[in-house]
Amino acid sequence: MVEPLMEVRFPAPQALDLAGVQAILCTSANGVRALARATRERGVRLLAVGDATASCARAEGFVAVESAGGDVDDLARLAMTRLNPQQGALLHVAGNVVAGDLAGLLRAQGFSVERRVLYEARAAAALSPAAVDNLRAGAIAFALFFSPRTAAIFVRLAHNAGIAECCAGLTALSISAVADAALASLPWHDRRIAERPSQPALLDALDRALGEMGRIE
């Protein structure tokens, strides 16, 4: 089952002035969607944190897109490799909550970076009744977490719903070590981390866990 733990809201778009911007940095697909609402410009260079974000950018019509294939640190390294601080500023399109310090990493290398908040991701107020019922019934064997923030939200909502102990039968699969660390207060059966911070790597971790389960059975 899919359990949304955040609600994304796009405020009325503000016109973006891209004069002097050599590249736009996008750390999520929602950032790309917000950017597409704020400008008709599609030719500016766009560096995306991962393949899913890059695919979203291409679907929105951006033509000069490159993926870092990982996390914020990978995106910073890609920008340092591909871009020159002397050729213009960088625009980081972000939500109201950000992971990592992309701007700080790049400013330390001489880049001028502006972060623009173009969307808001609000935490869910509670787990859905279906999620609570399935967890209590032991109907779920694996839980996949795609970000540190959603992992932390799940922990809080599981405690609020009185189902923390139900996680003892689940294996938690996290997209990164930071996401995994946010889960530490729950009594999981097992916790695993993807080899790379990407959706394909997370699904590979699930495949391995399922394969091990099959061998045991």
Side-chain angles (χ1 to χ4, degrees):
M1 67 176 299
V2 177
E3 179 71 6
L5 294 177
M6 293 189 295
E7 178 188 2
V8 176
R9 297 187 178 185
F10 299 99
Q14 303 173 6
L16 285 179
D17 181 5
L18 298 180
V21 173
Q22 68 165 311
I24 299 174
L25 310 176
C26 289
T27 46
S28 72
N30 285 319
V32 170
R33 297 182 186 105
L35 174 66
R37 288 166 168 78
T39 180
R40 295 182 179 179
E41 173 61 52
R42 295 295 186 269
V44 65
R45 193 169 190 176
L46 190 152
L47 304 186
V49 68
D51 295 343
T53 302
S55 294
C56 181
R58 296 185 185 102
E60 291 286 357
F62 293 93
V63 296
V65 179
E66 189 169 359
S67 170
D71 58 13
V72 167
D73 291 338
D74 294 309
L75 180 56
R77 282 190 287 270
L78 178 65
M80 292 172 198
T81 301
R82 298 287 193 267
L83 307 175
N84 186 328
Q86 306 305 316
Q87 293 181 354
L90 308 181
L91 177 66
H92 176 203
V93 173
N96 59 312
V97 177
V98 295
D101 185 14
L102 178 62
L105 291 171
L106 292 172
R107 286 170 183 153
Q109 300 301 314
F111 287 94
S112 173
V113 185
E114 178 187 2
R115 182 166 73 92
R116 289 290 297 273
V117 175
L118 296 185
Y119 70 95
E120 182 179 1
R122 297 184 179 181
L127 294 173
S128 69
V132 172
D133 289 345
N134 279 315
L135 287 165
R136 282 181 174 153
I140 298 174
F142 297 92
L144 280 66
F145 296 93
F146 289 81
S147 73
R149 189 179 179 202
T150 51
I153 292 170
F154 177 84
V155 169
R156 176 172 57 82
L157 297 184
H159 283 294
N160 290 349
I163 57 167
E165 296 304 317
C166 297
C167 294
L170 278 70
T171 294
L173 303 169
S174 296
I175 200 166
S176 68
V178 179
D180 174 74
L183 301 171
S185 67
L186 292 178
W188 303 96
H189 169 69
D190 192 12
R191 285 162 44 203
R192 303 189 181 198
I193 304 169
E195 292 183 354
R196 291 283 299 161
S198 68
Q199 178 173 299
L202 184 57
L203 295 178
D204 286 343
L206 175 60
D207 285 341
R208 288 193 294 272
L210 289 169
E212 292 172 11
M213 178 184 289
R215 288 195 295 271
I216 293 173
E217 292 175 350

